[in-house]
Amino acid sequence: MFRVFLGPMEEISCVACGGDFTIEKERREAHRLYECRVCKVQFWWPFKNPGTGFYGEVPALAARNLDPHSHPLFPSQRRFLKTAPKRGGTLLDLGMGTGNFLAEAQKRGYRVTGCDFDGAAVAAAKSAFNLTDVHACSVEEFLKQNPARRFDVITMFEVIEHLDDFAIFDTIRLLLAPGGIVVLSTPNRRRWTPFMRGDDPPRHLTRWNEESLKNFLERKGFSDIKVKFVPVVFNRFIMRFSEWTAGWLSFGLARKAELSLTQTPRARRAAAGGTLRLLSKIKLYGLFFIPACILYSYLWLTGRRNCTALYAVAKRI
Ligand SMILES: [Zn+2]
């Protein structure tokens, strides 16, 4: 009864488990959101990643590539570094961006390797953090070029929701050493609605909860699966106010000014970027500290503080 028909003969099977029992949950322009009644994943249809050109046009990513030091780690990356399983082993980060996380993992004793399809980000990682074992390619290409390499830990933070093909998990299993672990994080679909901003198709193609993520990793042949909740961090939470007031209280002036410094020598650019970010932080706290405290307390009291992201660790069988 839950089978979905788009036309007389067309039906949508679950992109994660292949099951036929999917139900439509939401429509957004050309996209429809389905939930699988078997494995509980939610996915947008058409299930198609917009490709690398789409990300190259995002201003936040251009600013990140210009000054990698300025961008904070995700709370899930901090959690990994704090708990640091298999410290000192080999680590491969997929979707490494500009390498901020890899640089921190290296400081904690990991022998680090990274992949990202964004060549500009990989180049920025090399020059900003002196990372050498980083590659502008897909993980499948990496395996082809390095068929004998194996890793103790493979990380992929905020990547799975962008994927339109889960065959990558077969490659991950091939690249893991026996007993190796995969660590990933993704937005929790139970989070407070204003936090869902940016969680739209075609940028994000899947939505996960604890159950669907566990089911998925189990189906992909992993064991000892643990899925945990990542709480809201106040410093990041207050930054949301800039997004919510964009256009009438926040104009992204610091980012625009930073991007206009492309031709400025690196040292001066870093100094100017630091000043701009400090000024925008002062403005942020001056304007939004009290409302942010009230809203943060509300999330805490209603039990939604823990619903921002999911953090999963699973072992290769
Ligand atoms: Zn399914």
Side-chain angles (χ1 to χ4, degrees):
M1 71 187 269
F2 297 113
R3 190 168 297 202
V4 169
F5 292 94
L6 280 189
M9 296 302 288
E10 199 175 9
E11 67 185 58
I12 303 296
S13 300
C14 172
V15 297
C17 75
D20 285 335
F21 295 97
T22 52
I23 186 166
E24 187 178 322
K25 302 287 284 185
E26 196 181 320
R27 288 184 185 207
R28 186 132 354 140
E29 292 168 13
H31 285 83
R32 295 173 187 202
L33 182 73
Y34 294 102
E35 181 173 314
C36 174
R37 305 291 292 192
V38 179
C39 74
K40 307 295 181 196
V41 75
Q42 290 182 354
F43 61 93
W44 289 99
W45 193 268
F47 188 60
K48 184 81 197 122
N49 185 293
T52 52
F54 178 82
Y55 296 99
E57 289 154 16
V58 178
L61 292 186
R64 176 196 72 173
N65 292 355
L66 203 59
D67 186 9
H69 289 278
S70 67
H71 292 272
L73 296 177
F74 294 132
S76 47
Q77 292 172 324
R78 289 185 192 281
R79 176 189 278 250
F80 174 86
L81 294 168
K82 236 176 166 180
T83 50
K86 289 187 179 274
R87 195 183 284 255
T90 47
L91 182 150
L92 169 65
D93 187 36
L94 305 178
M96 58 167 273
T98 51
N100 311 45
F101 164 72
L102 281 180
E104 289 301 319
Q106 193 172 43
K107 279 186 206 160
R108 283 160 178 78
Y110 284 100
R111 282 167 286 150
V112 299
T113 306
C115 284
D116 200 296
F117 61 71
D118 182 350
V122 174
K126 284 181 183 167
S127 72
F129 300 111
N130 296 319
L131 294 168
T132 50
D133 194 8
V134 287
H135 310 266
C137 65
S138 70
V139 64
E140 290 80 10
E141 284 162 354
F142 177 83
L143 177 63
K144 251 184 221 163
Q145 289 158 16
N146 304 274
R149 292 190 68 177
R150 295 293 177 266
F151 296 88
D152 298 313
V153 183
I154 296 183
T155 50
M156 49 189 307
F157 298 103
E158 315 296 305
V159 171
I160 190 172
E161 64 276 11
H162 296 270
L163 300 175
D164 63 7
D165 184 352
F166 297 121
I168 188 175
F169 283 87
D170 302 325
T171 313
I172 287 173
R173 285 187 58 225
L174 285 173
L175 280 164
L176 276 173
I181 56 166
V182 62
V183 178
L184 63 88
S185 67
T186 186
N188 180 350
R189 73 180 186 225
R190 281 192 56 237
R191 64 189 168 165
W192 191 44
T193 321
F195 280 134
M196 303 292 268
R197 211 170 149 158
D199 188 24
D200 303 312
R203 190 168 168 269
H204 288 181
L205 294 168
T206 41
R207 286 183 170 173
W208 304 85
N209 63 0
E210 194 184 4
E211 189 184 5
S212 55
L213 197 53
K214 262 187 190 161
N215 286 337
F216 176 78
L217 289 168
E218 214 171 79
R219 202 175 290 274
K220 285 291 173 190
F222 291 92
S223 70
D224 298 2
I225 302 159
K226 289 183 187 73
V227 180
K228 295 183 174 163
F229 301 112
V230 181
V232 182
V233 177
F234 188 81
N235 278 341
R236 287 180 74 92
F237 173 68
I238 197 169
M239 287 163 77
R240 293 279 172 164
F241 282 77
S242 287
E243 295 169 23
W244 296 332
T245 57
W248 56 285
L249 277 177
S250 306
F251 302 97
L253 295 177
R255 183 181 289 160
K256 281 178 197 155
E258 215 177 330
L259 281 171
S260 71
L261 298 171
T262 327
Q263 301 304 321
T264 316
R266 202 169 136 197
R268 277 186 54 202
R269 194 172 71 207
T275 312
L276 286 168
R277 280 192 300 280
L278 180 66
L279 288 173
S280 80
K281 206 163 197 176
I282 291 170
K283 184 198 112 179
L284 191 69
Y285 274 77
L287 279 177
F288 303 125
F289 183 71
I290 293 171
C293 285
I294 295 168
L295 212 52
Y296 190 71
S297 312
Y298 167 76
L299 291 182
W300 191 297
L301 292 170
T302 53
R304 296 193 209 182
R305 186 180 160 263
N306 274 335
C307 292
T308 51
L310 297 166
Y311 177 90
V313 182
K315 206 180 205 177
R316 191 196 115 164
I317 294 175

